[in-house]
């Protein structure tokens, strides 16, 4: 029950802070009589064309044009005063707050006020709503989404090998992930993932030397490899060395929009090697890898506007086919993908769309189609653990937040273990997703 006298916004402040790549981002703090609630906004490196607009100042004299002072000013001088004037109750009115900000911005992609400004306020207001109601954030978000029943705790997908725009090697594909579907809890899954990660470090050092274990943006190793099979062979060796064969499955995010041009996919885009493939040839490569390795998920295998390739591949794709740049957490893109039967899973990134309410709506729409929902971090992350609560709230069954390495990644996995402990203490019905990575597939 919300005490409406304590639920009104008294003040909203913002500041420029740094993300995990040392680039500026927006921090927002909301004050109610229940206290202060803060949020820090993430940022992507491989950004799709259909994402909400991240407002940056563009001044070459500060952070190479990446400062966010205008977004901060928009929070403090435009959004904050208007929200306070509306007398919204953060415990009940998150959807109204988000709708109001969307209307206040007035653009199609939040480019006037900035999606980074709007999202920071939306996240902080969600935290304030949870504080006013005296419940954990995941419980507040679950209520907002209208989800009931047992909690489904997500399988963590650890990005342990980096390529693409996330590393300096010549690998075209951006992410190779391990998923401990054979674990018996989130805590056990984190243990298995960490043990495979450490084994992988040892395998890479043995094969490529000590200089090859530098990490990419998301904590994954970036050894001097160029072929997808090289990466997957390393993962197979690491899983075996860690003693977890049969418990770990793999996932790949090629982020193929980054190497698509004029109808071809250039797997040599980071080197001098000529390796341009048609969509049909790239499809054959994916199928070959799926036949050889325990791959259960493929994300953005084709470019964001190569609809024909998506639809053709989906016809006989036996695994989870996730749209990231393809969908951009955007209802219009989700509708088009459904009409074209292009994928069967939504990658949910809150800063792609710019408010928590729209993120919940995107997940609801995906679930209504029988799709899965895969909650994701960004390469430019922060120490904010919001998305861990979001994945539990929505019972998405899987979350990716990088390697079991680097504080901005680990804070999400640590939060999942905290939530699991709390559910155990209170006897709340819950299960670890394992191979059932969707609330549509719960018992």
């Amino acid at each position: 029950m919300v005490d409406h006298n304590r639920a009104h916004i008294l003040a909203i402040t913002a500041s420029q802070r740094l993300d995990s790549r040392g680039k500026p981002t927006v921090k927002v703090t909301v004050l109610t009589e229940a206290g202060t609630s803060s949020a820090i906004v993430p940022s992507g490196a491989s950004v799709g064309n259909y994402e909400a607009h991240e407002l940056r100042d563009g001044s070459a004299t500060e952070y190479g044009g990446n400062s966010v002072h205008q977004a901060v000013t928009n929070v403090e001088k435009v959004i904050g005063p208007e929200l306070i004037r509306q007398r919204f109750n953060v415990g009940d009115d998150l959807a109204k707050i988000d709708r109001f900000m969307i209307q206040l911005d007035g653009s199609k992609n939040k480019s006037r006020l900035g999606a980074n400004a709007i999202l920071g306020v939306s996240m902080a207001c969600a935290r304030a709503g949870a504080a006013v109601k005296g419940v954990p954030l995941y419980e507040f978000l679950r209520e907002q989404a209208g989800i009931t029943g047992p909690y489904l705790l997500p399988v963590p997908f650890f990005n342990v090998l980096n390529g693409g725009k996330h590393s300096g090697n010549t690998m075209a594909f951006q992410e190779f992930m391990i998923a401990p579907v054979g674990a018996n809890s989130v805590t056990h899954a984190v243990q298995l993932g960490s043990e495979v990660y450490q084994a992988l470090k040892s395998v890479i050092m043995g094969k490529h030397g000590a200089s090859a274990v530098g990490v990419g943006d998301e904590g994954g190793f970036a050894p001097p490899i160029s072929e997808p099979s090289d990466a997957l062979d390393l993962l197979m060796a690491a899983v075996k060395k860690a003693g977890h064969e049969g418990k770990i499955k793999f996932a790949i995010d090629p982020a193929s929009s980054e190497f698509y041009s004029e109808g071809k996919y250039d797997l040599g885009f980071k080197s001098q090697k000529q390796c341009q493939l048609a969509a049909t040839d790239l499809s054959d490569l994916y199928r070959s890898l799926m036949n050889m390795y325990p791959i259960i998920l493929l994300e953005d295998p084709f470019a964001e506007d190569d609809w024909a390739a998506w639809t053709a591949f989906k016809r006989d794709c036996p695994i989870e086919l996730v749209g990231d740049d393809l969908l951009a957490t955007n209802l219009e893109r989700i509708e088009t993908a459904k009409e074209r039967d292009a994928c069967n899973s939504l990658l949910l990134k809150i800063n792609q769309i710019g408010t928590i309410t729209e993120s919940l709506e995107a997940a609801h729409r995906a679930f209504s189609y029988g799709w899965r929902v895969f909650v994701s971090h960004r390469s430019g992350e922060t120490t904010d653990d919001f998305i861990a609560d979001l994945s539990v709230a929505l019972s998405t069954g899987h979350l990716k937040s990088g390697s079991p390495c680097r504080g901005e990644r680990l804070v999400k996995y640590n939060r999942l273990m905290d939530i699991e402990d709390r559910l155990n203490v209170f006897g709340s019905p819950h299960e670890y997703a394992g191979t059932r990575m969707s609330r549509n597939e719960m018992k």
Side-chain angles (χ1 to χ4, degrees):
M1 190 71 179
V2 178
D3 181 351
H4 287 188
N5 293 322
R6 301 180 68 240
H8 294 126
I9 299 170
L10 302 177
I12 298 180
T13 59
S15 52
Q16 176 172 276
R17 295 294 182 260
L18 298 183
D19 69 16
S20 60
R21 287 199 302 265
K23 290 176 63 175
T25 188
V26 178
K27 178 180 180 180
V28 175
T29 299
V30 169
L31 174 66
T32 70
E33 288 191 13
T36 59
S37 301
S38 298
I40 311 180
V41 178
S43 175
S46 52
V47 178
N49 290 328
Y50 300 98
E51 296 194 21
H53 181 72
E54 184 179 69
L55 187 63
R56 295 191 181 272
D57 299 330
S59 171
T61 62
E62 188 172 353
Y63 286 105
N66 289 311
S67 61
V68 292
H69 296 304
Q70 186 58 55
V72 167
T73 297
N74 289 345
V75 172
E76 295 199 318
K77 303 299 184 184
V78 181
I79 299 172
E82 289 293 336
L83 285 182
I84 293 168
R85 193 172 295 122
Q86 295 298 313
R87 301 284 290 168
F88 288 119
N89 296 305
V90 292
D92 295 329
D93 294 341
L94 181 63
K96 292 179 181 178
I97 290 168
D98 288 346
R99 294 287 172 227
F100 183 82
M101 288 192 290
I102 292 168
Q103 293 170 4
L104 188 64
D105 176 87
S107 69
K108 185 174 177 63
N109 64 348
K110 302 179 179 67
S111 57
R112 189 175 81 84
L113 298 175
N116 42 352
I118 292 169
L119 179 60
V121 175
S122 182
M123 294 169 68
C125 283
R127 278 214 169 90
V132 163
K133 287 198 164 187
V135 298
L137 178 60
Y138 64 85
E139 191 61 47
F140 177 80
L141 294 173
R142 182 174 157 97
E143 179 183 303
Q144 296 294 309
I147 291 177
T148 58
Y151 295 88
L152 185 67
L153 296 173
V155 176
F157 276 59
F158 301 99
N159 174 14
V160 295
L161 282 174
N162 290 178
K165 279 198 169 182
H166 290 181
S167 78
N169 61 19
T170 58
M171 169 65 65
F173 290 3
Q174 185 167 277
E175 299 179 10
F176 294 84
M177 295 170 268
I178 56 172
V181 296
N184 54 39
S185 67
V186 166
T187 300
H188 187 215
V190 172
Q191 176 192 334
L192 297 187
S194 180
E195 289 174 357
V196 172
Y197 181 74
Q198 297 302 327
L200 179 60
K201 181 177 183 179
S202 175
V203 168
I204 292 171
M205 288 180 66
K207 189 174 181 65
H208 298 286
S211 63
V213 290
V215 298
D217 279 351
E218 296 178 0
F221 299 113
I225 55 176
S226 58
E227 299 298 326
S229 57
D230 294 338
L232 293 163
D233 285 342
L234 288 173
L235 296 189
M236 293 289 285
V239 169
K240 182 175 182 179
K241 185 177 180 67
H244 297 316
E245 290 175 293
K247 298 177 183 177
I248 308 290
K249 303 295 184 181
F250 301 158
I252 306 174
D253 172 16
S256 57
S257 292
E258 301 297 337
F259 52 87
Y260 177 76
S261 178
E262 299 179 353
K264 297 288 186 178
Y265 292 88
D266 183 8
L267 270 59
F269 84 106
K270 297 175 68 180
S271 68
Q272 302 301 314
K273 185 177 76 170
Q274 290 294 314
C275 187
Q276 293 195 339
L277 301 181
T280 52
D281 297 322
L282 186 58
S283 297
D284 290 342
L285 172 59
Y286 292 139
R287 291 191 184 96
S288 172
L289 295 174
M290 287 157 52
N291 288 332
M292 293 172 61
Y293 303 96
I295 298 168
I296 59 170
L297 180 150
L298 193 57
E299 176 190 328
D300 273 4
F302 306 101
E304 59 198 1
D305 287 321
D306 194 0
W307 289 102
W310 280 91
T311 300
F313 190 75
K314 164 72 166 50
R315 289 192 194 106
D316 61 356
C317 179
I319 64 173
E320 183 171 349
L321 187 59
V322 184
D324 176 12
D325 290 345
L326 180 77
L327 304 177
T329 317
N330 183 295
L331 286 176
E332 291 181 10
R333 299 285 294 183
I334 292 170
E335 284 298 305
T336 302
K338 172 61 176 175
E339 291 167 5
R340 297 184 180 233
D341 195 23
C343 63
N344 56 28
S345 183
L346 162 71
L347 195 76
L348 182 60
K349 290 176 173 175
I350 56 177
N351 84 316
Q352 277 185 331
I353 192 62
T355 68
I356 298 307
T357 297
E358 290 170 293
S359 299
L360 300 180
E361 290 171 348
H364 178 75
R365 185 70 57 86
F367 283 138
S368 76
Y369 294 152
W371 293 6
R372 290 176 174 177
V373 174
F374 189 18
V375 174
S376 174
H377 64 163
R378 298 308 299 257
S379 56
E381 258 302 333
T382 74
T383 50
D384 195 311
D385 57 12
F386 193 101
I387 61 170
D389 284 73
L390 181 64
S391 66
V392 173
L394 291 173
S395 292
T396 62
H398 45 344
L399 165 76
K400 71 166 179 173
S401 187
S403 285
C405 165
R406 298 177 55 129
E408 77 279 359
R409 315 294 157 184
L410 289 172
V411 68
K412 280 75 163 173
Y413 300 129
N414 285 339
R415 174 61 181 159
L416 287 179
M417 291 189 285
D418 289 343
I419 293 172
E420 184 172 64
D421 285 350
R422 188 178 193 279
L423 295 176
N424 285 329
V425 167
F426 284 90
S428 303
H430 65 280
E431 61 176 305
Y432 174 65
T435 56
R436 293 185 308 283
M437 290 180 293
S438 172
R439 69 190 187 96
N440 292 329
E441 300 165 12
M442 293 177 68
K443 293 179 180 177

